[in-house]
Structures are given as C-alpha cells and as structure tokens.
C-alpha cells in the first residue's frame, strides 16, 4: 500500500508553498487553473488524501489549540496549562496537550504531526535540548507556513512570534537584593538550568545585584549545571567547603537541596542561612519545613495571557498583526526560610 503524501511533501516536490498547495486543492480562485491542475494531478499520483478537518490553511478553523510543554511533572507547567485551558474553553476552543520531555526530536515530531490540519496554532515552551543546541528551524518552518506560535517562559530572539515571559532578570536581581538587605553577604547561587534562556537571565540578575552592592563574586559558591544529576552531592560540597549565609536557587530541585543540606549542616534557618527559590509549587509552600520563600511566576496567568494572544491572532482580520511580548511580573512570597526585612 502506498504511503499517503502530505501537503508539505507535495509543496516541496513542486517547489511551491504549502499554502499554494492547500488553496489549489481547495479550488481557490487565487490560484491559476494551470497550477491547480498540476498540483491536483501530482496529489492524486502521490495518493494524497485531504485531512478531514479542512484543507485551507489560511481560513481553516479547527477551533483547537496545540500545547507543547517540556515536563508534565513540573508544577509550573501544570499551572500554565490550566490557564491555557481556561481561556480556550471560554472562547470555544479545544486543547490538545503534548509533552516534549525536553527532547528536540519529539518536539519537532509533535509540531509536524499537529500542524498538518489538526490545530489552528500552538502555545509552547521550548525544550531543553532545542535551547541547548540553539536549534529552532522546526519552529521557523511552522511559522513560515502560516501556523501561529505563542512561546511562553523559555523563548528565543531567533523566532518572530508572540511571547509571554516573566521578568526573570529583575526577579533575580530583586531576590538577591532581598537577601543582601536581610544581612546576607555570602550568597550562593544554585542552577541546574544554565543552558536555558531563563537560567541565563536569572544568573545575570544575581550577578548584577552583587555588583550593585560591591560584593565579590565567589565562583566557589556558584553552582551552574544543565542537569540535576549529582545535584545533592554538589550542594553538600558547597556547604562543606564554604561559608554561606544565603542561597538563591533557580528552580525547585535546587531549592529543596539547598534547604535539606543547610539543615543537615546544622545551620539555623533563617537566622544563619536564608534561602529563596525560583519555584512556587506545593512542595515549597506546604511540604517543607521550614517553608520556602519563593518567587511566584504566576503560571496560571501566563497560560491565560498566552492563550488569549493566540486566539486574538487567530480571530483577527488583520493580515500582519504585530507580534507582542507580554511580561508577567513575579511576586516574592515570603515564608520561613528568610528573615523579614
């Protein structure tokens, strides 16, 4: 049995755009009769079968949004998804959620699979592997074909599309300043997301705060990795070999490790050691003792704003709607792991 061709394959073989193929197969008056005949004959030859949801890329309305998140176990992404689903439901859209598991290959495959008539647009956060390799061609291809994408949290300047971010640099700057104002002078930074855009921005904010207060940068208490592998041993070694009175942790795993090994070393929290984590899951707020002071990213709001941006673009009558970058302000939630300023 012959494999069925896709719109993209036909377009590539005939050296035309996917949109042209779609319009030709849909008898659009925008396409010449000669081009229509050529495309239809080739599609028949290649056993092309139209997607039941609809051929016309420009005017189709599946009323379905594709959501791709890197990690379902991360409470932040779960909150974002709930925000997306809420706004989608309010506007009569369905949602298909897929998980890249931080894999570039799986991310690209999911984009390819869903963009062939299944969904109207994507809301997604870039996989770790894609950011690590600076590989964004799979996104560029989808955008060039007319399928809109809204990026959230992990973004890149290489993609022209709508984006929803938090103020990572300012949040890190303010969090580190909070620790300094509470009397901390030897503030460790712990990051397992050094290869991600958000990790780089948070590092810059931390370093800027030290610079602003004329505090030396001590590389011995700055842990930067791109994996949680061996995290506990590395954090324990930092405590064993250095004097630390503050920790700024860039994600939840790092926050938990900082608290656990600080207590193991016998440091009183927050009297001798203050900790701020860039995470606000249930673990940080309810299940740890003492409870962690955290930077709340307002995940639900991020999801709501991202979904609304996509729906507004899908339903706009403007051909070239300007791209927007929405910045969601974070909030420091003070709990037991820091001293009140």
């Amino acid at each position: 049995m012959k494999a069925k061709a896709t719109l993209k394959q036909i377009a590539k073989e005939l050296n035309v755009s996917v949109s042209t193929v779609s319009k030709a197969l849909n008898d659009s008056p925008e396409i010449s009769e000669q081009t229509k005949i050529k495309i239809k004959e080739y599609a028949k030859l290649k056993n092309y079968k139209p997607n039941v949801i609809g051929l016309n890329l420009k005017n189709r309305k599946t009323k379905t949004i594709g959501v791709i998140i890197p990690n379902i176990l991360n409470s932040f992404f779960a909150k974002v998804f709930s925000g997306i689903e809420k706004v989608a439901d309010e506007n009569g859209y369905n949602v298909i959620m897929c998980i890249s598991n931080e894999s570039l290959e799986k991310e690209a495959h999911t984009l390819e699979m869903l963009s062939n008539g299944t969904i109207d647009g994507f809301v997604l956060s870039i996989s770790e592997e894609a950011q690590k390799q600076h590989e964004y061609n799979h996104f560029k291809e989808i955008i060039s074909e007319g399928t809109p994408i809204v990026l959230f949290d992990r973004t890149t300047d290489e993609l022209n599309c709508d984006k929803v971010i938090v103020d990572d640099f300012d949040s890190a700057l303010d969090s580190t300043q909070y620790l300094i104002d509470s009397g901390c002078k030897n503030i460790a930074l712990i990051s397992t997301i050094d290869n991600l855009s958000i990790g780089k921005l948070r590092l810059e904010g931390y370093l800027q705060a030290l610079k602003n207060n004329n505090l030396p940068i001590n590389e011995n208490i700055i842990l930067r990795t791109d994996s949680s592998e061996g995290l506990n041993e590395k954090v324990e070694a930092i405590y064993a070999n250095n004097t630390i009175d503050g920790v700024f942790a860039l994600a939840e795993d790092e926050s938990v490790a900082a608290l656990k090994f600080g207590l193991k070393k016998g440091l009183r929290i927050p009297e001798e050691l203050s900790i701020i984590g860039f995470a606000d899951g249930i673990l940080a707020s309810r299940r740890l003792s003492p409870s962690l002071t955290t930077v709340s990213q307002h995940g639900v709001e991020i999801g709501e704003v991202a979904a609304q941006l996509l729906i507004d673009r899908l339903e706009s009558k403007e051909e070239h709607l300007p791209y927007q970058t929405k910045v969601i302000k974070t909030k420091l939630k003070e709990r037991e792991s820091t001293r009140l300023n």
Side-chain angles (χ1 to χ4, degrees), residues 285-340:
S285 59
R286 300 180 194 173
R287 296 183 182 170
L288 294 178
S289 181
S291 58
L292 270 172
T293 294
T294 57
V295 179
S296 175
Q297 296 165 270
H298 302 298
V300 174
E301 184 182 353
I302 289 173
E304 291 174 348
V305 172
Q308 195 61 61
L309 269 176
L310 179 60
I311 292 169
D312 288 347
R313 181 167 293 279
L314 290 172
E315 298 187 350
S316 172
K317 290 182 171 54
E318 287 188 43
E319 283 277 338
H320 303 289
L321 199 65
Y323 292 124
Q324 299 183 64
T325 296
K326 299 280 190 179
V327 181
I328 307 299
K329 291 292 184 181
T330 57
K331 181 180 179 182
L332 189 67
K333 291 193 174 181
E334 300 170 78
R335 299 192 182 94
E336 297 169 343
S337 68
T338 52
R339 291 166 284 195
L340 292 176

Side-chain angles (χ1 to χ4, degrees), residues 112-279:
E112 172 77 21
M113 176 182 67
L114 294 181
S115 65
N116 197 25
T118 304
I119 54 90
D120 292 339
F122 289 99
V123 177
L124 61 89
S125 187
I126 301 173
S127 68
E128 180 178 356
E129 196 171 24
Q131 287 215 310
K132 191 173 183 178
Q133 297 181 22
H134 301 285
E135 177 52 66
Y136 306 116
N137 286 334
H138 51 308
F139 298 120
K140 292 176 182 177
E141 183 179 347
I142 297 298
I143 293 169
S144 70
E145 290 166 0
T147 302
I149 288 177
V150 177
L151 295 178
F152 72 88
D153 190 46
R154 305 177 190 174
T155 67
T156 172
D157 291 337
E158 290 189 34
L159 295 178
N160 292 319
C161 61
D162 294 312
K163 299 165 187 173
V164 183
I165 59 174
V166 298
D167 53 339
D168 286 288
F169 175 86
D170 289 338
S171 298
L173 176 68
D174 293 343
S175 296
T176 308
Q177 187 62 53
Y178 183 96
L179 290 171
I180 294 169
D181 291 343
S182 68
C184 298
K185 288 185 170 51
N186 299 294
I187 302 169
L189 177 132
I190 305 175
S191 170
T192 61
I193 55 172
D194 195 52
N195 54 319
L196 299 181
S197 56
I198 55 174
K200 297 181 192 304
L201 287 168
R202 294 170 193 176
L203 170 67
E204 289 173 11
Y206 160 84
L207 294 174
Q208 187 62 51
L210 297 184
K211 182 179 178 181
N212 290 349
N213 291 272
N214 296 316
L215 292 176
I217 296 171
N218 182 356
E219 295 291 347
N220 295 325
I221 59 174
I222 297 177
L223 173 59
R224 298 169 58 188
T225 72
D226 56 11
S227 167
S228 292
E229 186 176 348
L231 174 64
N232 288 342
E233 292 79 5
K234 292 171 184 174
V235 172
E236 191 168 19
I238 286 178
Y239 280 124
N241 300 318
N242 301 277
T243 299
I244 298 171
D245 55 13
V247 175
F248 180 45
L250 301 197
E252 190 164 53
D253 287 348
E254 294 94 296
S255 306
V256 173
L259 181 63
K260 179 169 71 174
F261 289 104
L263 291 171
K264 184 177 179 181
K265 186 173 172 62
L267 296 171
R268 290 178 300 127
I269 299 173
E271 293 83 4
E272 296 175 308
L273 177 69
S274 293
I275 302 170
I276 294 178
F278 216 108

